[in-house]
Amino acid sequence: MSGMRGLSVFISDIRNCQNKEAEILRVDKELGNIRTCFKNDKVLTPYKKKKYVWKILYIHMLGYDVDFGHTEAVSLISAPKYPEKQVGYIVTSCLLNENHEFLRLAINAVRNDIIGRNETFQCLALTLVGNIGGREFAESLAPDVQKLLISSSCRPLVRKKAALCLLRLFRKNPDVVTADGWADHMAQLLDERDLGVLTSSMSLLVSLVSNDHEGYSSCLPKCVKTLERLARNQDVPQEYTYYGIPSPWLQVKTMRALQYFPTIEDPSTRRSLFEVLQRILMGTDVVKNVNKNNASHAVLFEALSLVMHLNAEKEMMSQCVALLGKFISVREPNIRYLGLENMTRMLMITDAQDIIKKHQPQIITSLKDPDISIRRRALDLLYGMCDASNAKDIVEELLQYLSTAEFAMREELSLKAAILAEKFAPDLSWYVDVILQLIDKAGDFVSDDIWFRVVQFVTNNEDLQPYAASKVREYMENIVIHETMVKVSAYILGEYGHLLARLPGCSPRELFGILHEKLPTVSTPTISLLLSTYAKLLMHAQPPDIELQKQIWTVFKKYESSIDVEIQQRAVEYFELSKKGAALMDVLAEMPKFPERQSSLIKKVEEVEDTADQSAIKLRVQQLPSNALVLADPKPVNGTPPPLKVPSMSGIKVNGTPQSLAIEALPGEISSQQRGLTEEEGVPGEVDGTAIVPVDEQANTVEPIGNIAERFHALCLKDSGVLYEDPYIQIGVKAEWQGHHGRLTLFLGNKNTSPLTSVQAIILPPAHLKLELSLVPDTIPPRAQVQCPLEVMNIRPSRDVAVLDFSYKFNTSMVSAKLRLPAVLNKFLQPLQLTSEEFFPQWRSLSGPPLKLQEVVRGVRPLALPEMENLFNSFRVTICPGLDPNPNNLVASTTFYSENTRAMLCLARIETDPADRTQLRLTVSSGDPTLTFELKEFIKEQLIAIPLGSRALVPAAPVPATPLAQPPSPVVDANDPGALLAGLL
Amino acid sequence: MIHFVLLVSRQGKVRLTKWYSPYAQKERSKVIRELSGVILNRGPKLCNFVEWRGYKVVYKRYASLYFCMCIDQEDNELEVLEIIHHYVEILDRYFGSVCELDLIFNFHKAYYILDELLIAGELQESSKKTVARIISAQDQLVEAAKEEASSISNIIAQATK
């Protein structure tokens, strides 16, 4: 460090620190010093300033957070002399990143250096911009940088930096370089003799063509020429050969650029390129020198990629596969790694798979390689090359490896094994075997999805049921088993254990005994599941087994007082049910078959793959029909074609299976099912073609699927479901409500393989709601789902509705929709059932308007009383049975929450006329006049028969949510209760 | 592209970091900690590539020092491995058989040289000679400025005598 003694001393001090504490002390002391100097010495000598700035960089490099000194570093950039400037530039570009505020301060000084005449200053400035320039730099500097790059008076030294600087600016903002203005210059740059400039320019070209290959098609022949020149070693200066190889980097870059052109049309260009490629493929030998080897193989692997991309003749392809086959068995680990990696890429080529399969034993050996990087590649390759013909072997290998695999790989390994087993199972019993083994060996990594799926298959395939039951029965013999195994076993034995009844050790009592042993070791959700299983075992015990009944009842009794409500409820209900005999048989009947849907596992994997960014290889993959993922056509089991490539986990739920009340849904679903809280989306998916509602002023070319108004009304009464759907997007909603707060999550799901852009969601809130929508991303990647939470707070009672103004762009068409959000009055109600002692005093205390309002409502949708009761309960106004002595009247109560009213009791009475069901008298009361009015109107809306068609015509405007077909109600300002009441009375 | 360059000693001490993608200070420290954990624990005779957070890290050990470069998954690994070696050779030529100590006390030189080799995470110059020429020209500029400064201070000193 020429002359900078202070810095050397500091570095030595740090090195001499015995421990971290001493180092921290020393660093703190130094920072204190520097801070004081920066503060006190108004005019620091350039030398001192330089020294301190270097020290700050050194401290930063050691990992300490330095929150000052940035100004000093930046200020050195505008120093007049080279030594200061140099330090300023280098330290600034190390300390700051493109998002740093301070960088703005530098932009002018940097620009001055770029457009100035001093070559060395230009270099410094271009380097800084090239390394940390952001969008702002791109917009203000791109033209200057372009000028330098094509200037004939600039030396290569400056121009190669300008090329890479422009590359950075282009990455930050692709609009600064467009093909119309730049393609010719780019082509000219490729004629450059200086290999430094050419190397940098080639990197620039790679980025440009990846964005727009058509615009730069004139560069294609030049790339081929460059490659020829290098590969034949024509006119390449000695200093640009690396271990005897003409610039391997430039060769690689050139071939990379060529991979972005979809094809090469011109026959002579194509011919010359293939000649060069052939030369590279054949002429690369393994040599002793590591660096030469690496460099030549860097070129070779790039050539392989290019050959694959160009879909060369069969002969050349088989040459490639042969080479790769050789590579995966060599000793040199880098080559082995790359061999496996490239073989995986090769899978995308139609004919290659059969040849690759020949290498299966070697690939399986690589799964046991000491290097985890290589094992990962091998796993990926095996996964990719798996099909019906080799699935059994491969999956068994994976299972075997699972026992020894390290933690870091187990999750991926088990997921992949599960997917392959599902996709390519030659028969279902094998599939069940595989998954049970998976659970046994790596239970922690087997997600619920996987075991749900087994249950689904078993339920849907009668032939499989006794087999699965006997299998899990075997696993239950083990003393220590994973909880997931307990779950799947309990479920299957509960449903199908009776099929084994004649086998030794499988009587209901024995099954109970063996399951009950596990109960002390499992968690709460599994206990719930076990209780259901016990109930089913009890039911299946024919003839009834009194001893078993006693044991199970003891268990139920014990859990009757469980602290967990779910367990408690089950214990109580099962106990009562089991006393009912025949009724029990109905209630606990076997689960119906599941509807068939796509596997969510496979979906999950596809999503992951789809959202990754667009690289050359992935683009290519998309262009080719992929054979690797084709589903096998599994052989039928016992003559019946198995529904193998079927349903999704989300299909596992009791929704839509009304035949028998299956007490047992799958765990996790159950509690929510029973409490009716969440139902998960995907339920109201029916497509109704009759009423398509354009709730939108723009002429949408994209039509929504299903009826938007109906979807909205459905969501008013439940908390999850689909709000909107069209061919490109599905918007789902899931809501949770507590008091006057709510949290609505919007699920924006892109249904396509291309991204949705310019996504915008604006909430038009009514005055009584406070709404806060979290950031909605501008782009939704292909097949991805984005979740946007929306916080809702209710300030006062009102029936106004919030509207979501949603738009996005698909390809070139803008699609927009105005959607009412189901954050409606009844969501802020809390069901409440009162006794007559509680109800009547309240009812009497609220006497007459404005707190108690009465209205005779006509045109009511005729409903039988129980139906009406259900309707009220569904919007959380709880019917209190038996309170009114007249059986034709209903009395109901609820609590309303808002910020202004707090929790407020609301009471209602409905007097129906048995002779004319289309009219009734409605009385509503509460402690708040607005609330009374709004609630009364709300109930009225629900009661009045509104044909759905006309409902659908309701514009989704923010303010009046009153349907058109409603009988004229006083049109008054809803926010002014006084005016309202005046109108009413 | 190369997202960052990292030089760490066998003891996990950082000798140089250069970031071509925007990482905040906190992320930088986290990345360094995480990666040194992975790389320093790898045995000998394994391949020079590590898959990490959807990226690949190409690394090579020279004596007590690990040179690491983080690249995209589709980038050419061997090409980057040789960029590392290319850098080492240039350092070696500049310092005359370079050792860790040279890089500790002259870390600024290591930065200057790296800036002549890479910009925007891409290779800028593949000729060792050219890089050497540029660096020595820079050194001369700094020397010249120093001489000028000392001669000026001499003049001032003389004049004020």
Side-chain angles (χ1 to χ4, degrees):
Chain A
M1 176 88 28
S2 39
M4 226 166 254
R5 252 199 91 236
L7 183 56
S8 302
V9 169
F10 172 62
I11 294 174
S12 304
D13 283 359
I14 293 286
R15 279 176 54 75
N16 293 332
C17 286
Q18 295 294 324
N19 50 38
K20 192 77 190 167
E21 286 71 40
E23 186 188 292
I24 293 173
L25 277 177
R26 182 67 186 86
V27 166
D28 282 346
K29 185 180 150 205
E30 196 62 39
L31 286 176
N33 264 344
I34 300 173
R35 204 192 295 263
T36 335
C37 286
F38 281 161
K39 229 186 243 160
N40 299 342
D41 295 6
K42 286 281 171 279
V43 257
L44 276 177
T45 61
Y47 170 80
K48 275 195 169 165
K49 220 179 193 177
K50 257 163 52 182
K51 184 176 75 182
Y52 292 143
V53 167
W54 276 125
K55 279 185 183 171
I56 286 176
L57 176 59
Y58 193 80
I59 292 169
H60 169 88
M61 208 170 73
L62 291 177
Y64 294 90
D65 214 350
V66 187
D67 53 1
F68 69 100
H70 298 153
T71 340
E72 282 75 12
V74 171
S75 75
L76 280 173
I77 288 179
S78 30
K81 293 229 175 71
Y82 181 78
E84 283 85 52
K85 227 185 223 315
Q86 187 192 30
V87 177
Y89 271 115
I90 210 140
V91 176
T92 303
S93 69
C94 289
L95 284 183
L96 307 185
N97 71 35
E98 65 182 63
N99 304 318
H100 212 286
E101 278 294 311
F102 272 105
L103 212 50
R104 283 215 188 119
L105 303 177
I107 202 162
N108 264 328
V110 173
R111 174 149 199 269
N112 285 338
D113 282 340
I114 286 181
I115 58 178
R117 283 295 165 96
N118 187 323
E119 189 181 58
T120 47
F121 292 1
Q122 282 174 336
C123 287
L124 289 173
L126 289 170
T127 307
L128 175 118
V129 178
N131 287 339
I132 59 164
R135 245 188 117 83
E136 221 169 308
F137 278 80
E139 274 134 35
S140 55
L141 295 178
D144 298 321
V145 176
Q146 277 168 314
K147 243 180 254 161
L148 289 182
L149 176 52
I150 53 176
S151 150
S152 56
S153 59
C154 275
R155 288 207 295 158
L157 169 75
V158 179
R159 292 175 56 218
K160 67 186 182 194
K161 290 187 161 62
L164 291 179
C165 183
L166 188 61
L167 166 57
R168 166 128 196 156
L169 300 181
F170 173 75
R171 280 181 186 152
K172 294 298 154 191
N173 180 2
D175 297 336
V176 299
V177 186
T178 55
D180 331 332
W182 190 251
D184 290 345
H185 293 304
M186 196 63 238
Q188 260 172 33
L189 279 170
L190 297 180
D191 292 331
E192 177 62 45
R193 305 307 297 168
D194 181 280
L195 287 190
V197 179
L198 190 56
T199 305
S200 299
S201 302
M202 199 57 87
S203 292
L204 174 62
L205 178 69
V206 169
S207 216
L208 295 175
V209 285
S210 71
N211 196 43
D212 173 14
H213 62 83
E214 275 168 32
Y216 294 94
S217 56
S218 57
C219 297
L220 193 153
K222 302 216 171 183
C223 290
V224 175
K225 281 236 163 60
T226 307
L227 190 62
E228 272 188 291
R229 173 184 157 199
L230 292 167
R232 294 176 201 275
N233 201 352
Q234 287 164 343
D235 191 19
V236 180
Q238 181 58 37
E239 58 180 293
Y240 282 95
T241 54
Y242 181 82
Y243 290 88
I245 301 160
S247 183
W249 297 288
L250 183 53
Q251 293 197 47
V252 168
K253 284 263 172 304
T254 313
M255 287 191 274
R256 188 48 69 101
L258 285 168
Q259 288 170 62
Y260 283 101
F261 295 103
T263 170
I264 297 175
E265 311 241 312
D266 177 51
S268 78
T269 313
R270 193 177 163 93
R271 202 177 325 110
S272 1
L273 179 59
F274 274 111
E275 268 174 39
V276 176
L277 291 174
Q278 184 72 42
R279 222 182 149 93
I280 298 173
L281 291 187
M282 299 309 291
T284 310
D285 294 321
V286 179
V287 293
K288 267 243 163 95
N289 183 299
V290 173
N291 300 103
K292 182 172 182 154
N293 231 0
N294 286 342
S296 63
H297 281 82
V299 173
L300 175 59
F301 277 111
E302 203 61 47
L304 278 171
S305 283
L306 183 54
V307 170
M308 288 190 248
H309 167 72
L310 294 171
N311 230 337
E313 301 84 66
K314 222 174 170 174
E315 199 186 326
M316 205 163 184
M317 285 298 201
S318 42
Q319 249 178 34
C320 291
V321 186
L323 268 176
L324 290 174
K326 201 175 84 190
F327 290 157
I328 62 170
S329 50
V330 298
R331 270 185 49 206
E332 155 70 20
N334 285 342
I335 305 293
R336 224 160 48 227
Y337 175 94
L338 294 170
L340 291 166
E341 179 177 49
N342 282 280
M343 222 178 228
T344 312
R345 291 175 186 167
M346 196 96 194
L347 283 175
M348 304 305 165
I349 292 162
T350 346
D351 305 332
Q353 285 165 52
D354 289 335
I355 326 179
I356 291 177
K357 272 191 205 159
K358 288 188 197 142
H359 298 287
Q360 192 171 313
Q362 182 58 43
I363 301 167
I364 286 174
T365 314
S366 300
L367 203 55
K368 293 155 193 148
D369 197 281
D371 188 342
I372 186 171
S373 298
I374 291 176
R375 287 197 300 272
R376 282 223 164 93
R377 287 297 106 232
L379 175 58
D380 253 19
L381 177 53
L382 283 175
Y383 177 71
M385 65 192 278
C386 191
D387 61 21
S389 75
N390 55 10
K392 256 188 152 155
D393 293 341
I394 289 182
V395 172
E396 259 141 46
E397 282 298 335
L398 297 185
L399 283 174
Q400 210 180 44
Y401 173 40
L402 194 59
S403 327
T404 53
E406 58 268 76
F407 220 63
M409 278 190 77
R410 287 197 173 190
E411 182 163 16
E412 197 186 350
L413 195 58
S414 40
L415 183 66
K416 289 199 157 140
I419 291 171
L420 291 179
E422 180 180 331
K423 259 174 149 179
F424 302 115
D427 57 69
L428 285 169
S429 53
W430 178 78
Y431 171 75
V432 171
D433 284 347
V434 169
I435 302 299
L436 292 179
Q437 280 189 61
L438 262 184
I439 297 174
D440 190 38
K441 288 182 169 171
D444 283 342
F445 299 104
V446 177
S447 63
D448 282 349
D449 280 357
I450 296 177
W451 81 264
F452 286 2
R453 194 102 176 113
V454 174
V455 165
Q456 200 172 354
F457 279 135
V458 173
T459 307
N460 287 6
N461 292 277
E462 276 166 35
D463 300 330
L464 203 55
Q465 292 161 359
Y467 179 77
S470 71
K471 265 289 173 195
V472 294
R473 172 69 184 79
E474 275 172 37
Y475 276 106
M476 292 302 285
E477 295 282 340
N478 301 341
I479 313 259
V480 183
I481 61 174
H482 194 271
E483 187 165 340
T484 306
M485 187 65 89
V486 179
K487 286 184 192 167
V488 71
S489 304
Y491 188 94
I492 290 181
L493 289 178
E495 291 288 327
Y496 311 112
H498 61 97
L499 301 175
L500 307 176
R502 272 188 233 137
L503 298 177
C506 295
S507 69
R509 200 193 298 182
E510 282 159 315
L511 291 181
F512 168 74
I514 201 162
L515 283 167
H516 197 54
E517 261 172 37
K518 314 291 184 207
L519 188 134
T521 61
V522 298
S523 62
T524 329
T526 311
I527 295 180
S528 313
L529 181 62
L530 281 172
L531 291 184
S532 306
T533 301
Y534 297 166
K536 292 217 171 190
L537 284 177
L538 190 56
M539 174 191 76
H540 283 303
Q542 292 302 342
D545 180 338
I546 302 300
E547 179 54 28
L548 177 65
Q549 189 181 51
K550 225 171 84 193
Q551 288 177 9
I552 290 178
W553 280 3
T554 319
V555 179
F556 288 159
K557 276 282 157 211
K558 181 182 162 200
Y559 284 102
E560 255 177 23
S561 51
S562 167
I563 192 163
D564 183 273
V565 272
E566 183 61 41
I567 293 181
Q568 188 187 35
Q569 187 177 357
R570 286 190 192 208
V572 173
E573 286 179 1
Y574 292 151
F575 180 70
E576 289 304 320
L577 273 171
S578 62
K579 288 196 285 195
K580 296 207 162 157
L584 179 72
M585 301 292 255
D586 277 350
V587 175
L588 292 180
E590 198 171 283
M591 287 287 286
K593 290 190 173 165
F594 292 100
E596 298 191 357
R597 294 199 193 135
Q598 198 205 346
S599 162
S600 70
L601 277 187
I602 293 173
K603 246 191 327 212
K604 209 192 270 173
V605 173
E606 282 171 357
E607 271 164 23
V608 172
E609 283 168 1
D610 279 355
T611 47
D613 50 28
Q614 308 265 317
S615 64
I617 294 143
K618 284 182 189 130
L619 281 173
R620 197 184 316 141
V621 172
Q622 283 170 8
Q623 287 156 5
L624 288 165
S626 158
N627 277 19
L629 295 175
V630 169
L631 289 165
D633 203 8
K635 279 173 276 164
V637 193
N638 304 339
T640 46
L644 227 206
K645 35 178 198 175
V646 262
S648 79
M649 283 326 114
S650 58
I652 303 201
K653 44 187 69 147
V654 281
N655 299 326
T657 50
Q659 309 97 312
S660 71
L661 167 65
I663 289 262
E664 188 55 273
L666 284 173
E669 299 284 343
I670 310 152
S671 49
S672 55
Q673 289 286 333
Q674 290 188 343
R675 295 195 206 111
L677 268 180
T678 47
E679 274 176 81
E680 306 261 7
E681 67 279 274
V683 186
E686 343 78 86
V687 177
D688 182 354
T690 47
I692 290 168
V693 199
V695 229
D696 182 32
E697 59 277 315
Q698 273 169 275
N700 274 348
T701 47
V702 175
E703 300 213 314
I705 299 172
N707 184 319
I708 296 179
E710 276 175 29
R711 290 191 191 279
F712 169 73
H713 288 294
L715 282 169
C716 286
L717 297 183
K718 56 182 198 161
D719 281 331
S720 67
V722 177
L723 180 66
Y724 173 84
E725 183 166 4
D726 67 28
Y728 306 125
I729 196 166
Q730 186 187 57
I731 305 180
V733 172
K734 199 166 174 180
E736 288 163 49
W737 307 95
Q738 183 147 45
H740 64 286
H741 288 283
R743 187 188 172 87
L744 237 122
T745 310
L746 299 173
F747 295 83
L748 310 176
N750 181 353
K751 295 160 70 176
N752 296 283
T753 46
S754 45
L756 299 178
T757 54
S758 309
V759 177
Q760 265 200 340
I762 299 163
I763 302 283
L764 312 171
H768 73 287
L769 291 180
K770 235 190 226 164
L771 293 162
E772 222 169 283
L773 180 63
S774 70
L775 202 66
V776 177
D778 184 60
T779 306
I780 306 175
R783 288 187 186 276
Q785 192 187 54
V786 178
Q787 299 186 9
C788 308
L790 170 67
E791 301 292 339
V792 185
M793 194 169 86
N794 187 23
I795 299 175
R796 57 173 175 273
S798 164
R799 284 167 302 129
D800 293 348
V801 181
V803 170
L804 170 72
D805 188 350
F806 182 81
S807 62
Y808 66 89
K809 209 159 135 186
F810 182 78
N811 288 333
T812 51
S813 52
M814 271 311 277
V815 183
S816 73
K818 287 210 170 68
L819 305 165
R820 282 180 283 173
L821 285 175
V824 287
L825 184 105
N826 62 311
K827 301 286 183 184
F828 302 103
L829 296 176
Q830 197 69 49
L832 172 77
Q833 198 162 52
L834 296 183
T835 59
S836 59
E837 294 79 41
E838 294 160 329
F839 187 90
F840 288 108
Q842 292 287 340
W843 183 255
R844 271 178 236 119
S845 73
L846 302 163
S847 58
L851 295 180
K852 186 186 265 177
L853 297 174
Q854 194 168 72
E855 187 179 339
V856 175
V857 186
R858 299 204 163 77
V860 172
R861 176 164 37 142
L863 286 177
L865 269 186
E867 280 181 88
M868 190 173 286
E869 286 181 19
N870 284 342
L871 178 69
F872 273 82
N873 286 328
S874 73
F875 53 80
R876 304 186 191 175
V877 177
T878 321
I879 298 294
C880 310
L883 258 59
D884 199 301
N886 183 338
N888 287 317
N889 296 351
L890 293 174
V891 163
S893 60
T894 186
T895 320
F896 177 79
Y897 289 86
S898 75
E899 199 183 43
N900 290 358
T901 59
R902 298 282 151 196
M904 185 156 285
L905 182 70
C906 306
L907 305 173
R909 184 172 186 221
I910 305 98
E911 294 158 275
T912 64
D913 177 0
D916 181 2
R917 290 234 162 263
T918 64
Q919 62 171 1
L920 51 76
R921 188 159 73 172
L922 172 65
T923 317
V924 175
S925 70
S926 80
D928 180 90
T930 324
L931 175 58
T932 304
F933 174 75
E934 292 289 328
L935 185 61
K936 186 194 68 156
E937 291 300 308
F938 173 79
I939 294 175
K940 220 164 75 184
E941 279 169 21
Q942 304 298 320
L943 289 172
I944 284 171
I946 304 163
L948 282 170
S950 63
R951 234 179 224 240
L953 286 174
V954 176
V959 197
T962 352
L964 290 181
Q966 194 189 339
S969 58
V971 185
V972 260
D973 181 2
N975 294 326
D976 180 359
L980 274 175
L981 291 170
L984 257 180
L985 301 168
Chain B
M1 74 174 275
I2 297 168
H3 295 280
F4 56 82
V5 177
L6 185 63
L7 266 64
V8 236
S9 76
R10 238 178 59 192
Q11 289 77 34
K13 297 256 185 242
V14 182
R15 298 303 178 208
L16 180 141
T17 59
K18 183 87 185 172
W19 309 83
Y20 298 101
S21 290
Y23 289 80
Q25 174 63 38
K26 275 217 181 92
E27 296 170 275
R28 290 182 181 186
S29 313
K30 200 171 157 227
V31 166
I32 294 171
R33 226 177 312 126
E34 218 176 279
L35 263 185
S36 347
V38 175
I39 289 173
L40 300 183
N41 285 324
R42 274 173 71 84
K45 291 190 186 159
L46 301 183
C47 71
N48 293 96
F49 322 124
V50 170
E51 295 174 18
W52 171 81
R53 290 204 207 163
Y55 294 101
K56 272 187 184 151
V57 178
V58 177
Y59 74 96
K60 187 158 182 180
R61 181 174 162 184
Y62 290 88
S64 54
L65 213 51
Y66 285 84
F67 288 68
C68 319
M69 293 188 179
C70 172
I71 56 173
D72 289 315
Q73 233 162 30
E74 307 74 30
D75 286 345
N76 189 315
E77 298 89 345
L78 286 176
E79 175 202 29
V80 177
L81 187 59
E82 288 317 288
I83 291 182
I84 292 179
H85 187 72
H86 185 50
Y87 182 40
V88 173
E89 283 189 335
I90 295 173
L91 290 171
D92 198 54
R93 193 176 284 198
Y94 183 82
F95 288 104
S97 111
V98 67
C99 66
E100 195 183 338
L101 268 186
D102 291 323
L103 297 184
I104 295 173
F105 283 98
N106 297 288
F107 70 98
H108 61 318
K109 292 286 182 200
Y111 276 110
Y112 290 147
I113 294 172
L114 188 61
D115 268 358
E116 291 307 320
L117 200 68
L118 299 176
I119 290 184
E122 304 283 348
L123 184 71
Q124 172 194 180
E125 183 54 76
S126 59
S127 153
K128 289 189 269 282
K129 236 186 184 165
T130 310
V131 175
R133 260 200 313 265
I134 295 169
I135 295 291
S136 88
Q138 286 176 3
D139 284 350
Q140 274 167 20
L141 271 175
V142 176
E143 281 304 312
K146 214 194 283 171
E147 273 164 30
E148 196 188 321
S150 58
S151 67
I152 289 174
S153 58
N154 278 342
I155 294 166
I156 296 170
Q158 302 250 309
T160 49
K161 241 178 203 168

